[in-house]
Amino acid sequence: MSASPAQATPLPRLLVSVRDPAEAEAARLAGVDLVDAKDPERGALGALDTRTVREIVARVSGGAVTSAVAEPTPRDVAAMAASGVDWVKTGIGPAPRGDGAALAALAAAAPGRLIAVLFAEDGPAAALVPHLAEAGFAGAMIDTAGKRGARLPDLAAPADLAAFTAACRDNGLMSGLAGSLRVIDIPSLSAYAPDYLGFRGGLCRDFDRRNGIDPLRVAEALRALRPSRRDAA
Ligand SMILES: O=C[C@H](O)COP(=O)(O)O
C-alpha cells in the first residue's frame, strides 16, 4: 500500500539566521533546528568574522545544527570551516555557475560541508544543481539578494521551486528555501519538501531583519513546522 501524500512529504526544518552568540543561544533555547551565523546589516550574505562564529558554535553547544556564511573564495570558505561550524554557506552568483573548476575549488575548501546559496533574482536554479553535486557541494539554498522588496514567493515561480528541490533530492543535496519569508509562507513552501526553510526578517521585531529575533515568532514558526509535536508549543 502506498503512503498518503501527507505521510510521504516530511516537513522542513527551521533555519534561523543569527548575528551574535546571544541570539544563537536564544534560537537554540527556542528549539530552532539550524542556527545560521550571518551579519544582517550586510545584506543577504554578510559574513561574520570567524571569532564570532566560534563563539556562536560554542553557545549553541551541539543543541542545534550550525552554519555560517563565508565569502566565495576557497580561502574564506576554509577559514570558516575551521571555526567548527557544521555547514558553510557561500553565494554562487551568475559568474561561476558554468565554471566547474571554480565550483570544485570552493567545495574542496570545506569537504562535504559546503552549501551553495543561489539568488532567486538570477533565475531558475534547478539546472545548476547537478553541477554543484558533481563539484562536491553538500547542499543548495535559494535566497533573495534584495532584502527590502520582493520576497521569494514573488520572485520564483512554483514550478521552479519544485524543480529545484526535486533536483536537490535527485542529486543527493540538502535543500533550502529562504528570502524574506513569513510564517504564513510555511504551508505553501513545505509542499516542495525542502530540507530547510530559512528565516531572519520574518521572525524579527517589526519584521526588520536588523532588529533582534522575536522568540514568539520563532515559536509560531515551529508550531507551523511541527504541528503534531508537543515540544513546539
Ligand atoms: O538564510 C536565510 C536568510 O538569513 C533569510 O533572511 P531573510 O528572512 O531576512 O530574507
Side-chain angles (χ1 to χ4, degrees):
M1 190 172 75
S2 64
S4 73
Q7 290 169 321
T9 307
L11 287 167
R13 284 160 275 169
L14 180 64
L15 176 156
V16 175
S17 297
V18 304
R19 65 178 159 205
D20 58 32
E23 282 195 355
E25 183 165 16
R28 171 179 65 84
L29 291 172
V32 163
D33 300 295
L34 199 168
V35 175
D36 173 53
K38 75 165 59 158
D39 183 354
E41 302 288 342
R42 296 174 48 227
L45 286 175
L48 291 167
D49 62 82
T50 53
R51 184 177 161 190
T52 302
V53 173
R54 281 182 196 279
E55 290 172 10
I56 286 172
V57 171
R59 200 71 75 91
V60 172
S61 186
V65 177
T66 55
S67 66
V69 169
E71 297 295 330
T73 72
R75 186 165 168 262
D76 287 296
V77 167
M80 197 53 80
S83 71
V85 78
D86 293 307
W87 306 101
V88 180
K89 292 165 61 189
T90 202
I92 304 296
R97 284 190 171 200
D99 186 342
L103 293 175
L106 284 173
R113 293 162 60 199
L114 191 60
I115 310 296
V117 180
L118 312 168
F119 290 126
E121 288 89 339
D122 292 335
L128 180 62
V129 170
H131 301 291
L132 293 171
E134 192 181 338
F137 280 72
M141 274 191 83
I142 300 180
D143 197 348
T144 54
K147 293 299 180 188
R148 287 170 184 268
R151 305 171 335 97
L152 181 71
D154 306 324
L155 288 169
D160 292 333
L161 295 178
F164 170 74
T165 55
C168 287
R169 279 191 295 280
D170 291 348
N171 286 275
L173 294 194
M174 186 265 276
S175 66
L177 299 175
S180 301
L181 302 182
R182 298 286 181 97
V183 170
I184 198 170
D185 296 315
I186 288 175
S188 56
L189 294 179
S190 294
Y192 308 124
D195 293 297
Y196 288 95
L197 289 177
F199 291 79
R200 171 76 196 177
L203 303 184
C204 286
R205 292 192 306 276
D206 303 324
F207 298 113
D208 183 338
R209 71 198 310 271
R210 295 163 302 175
N211 289 344
I213 290 169
D214 180 342
L216 293 178
R217 292 214 168 106
V218 175
E220 197 187 347
L222 286 169
R223 279 196 298 274
L225 286 163
R226 304 170 182 172
S228 61
R229 282 179 52 168
R230 292 176 65 205
D231 61 357

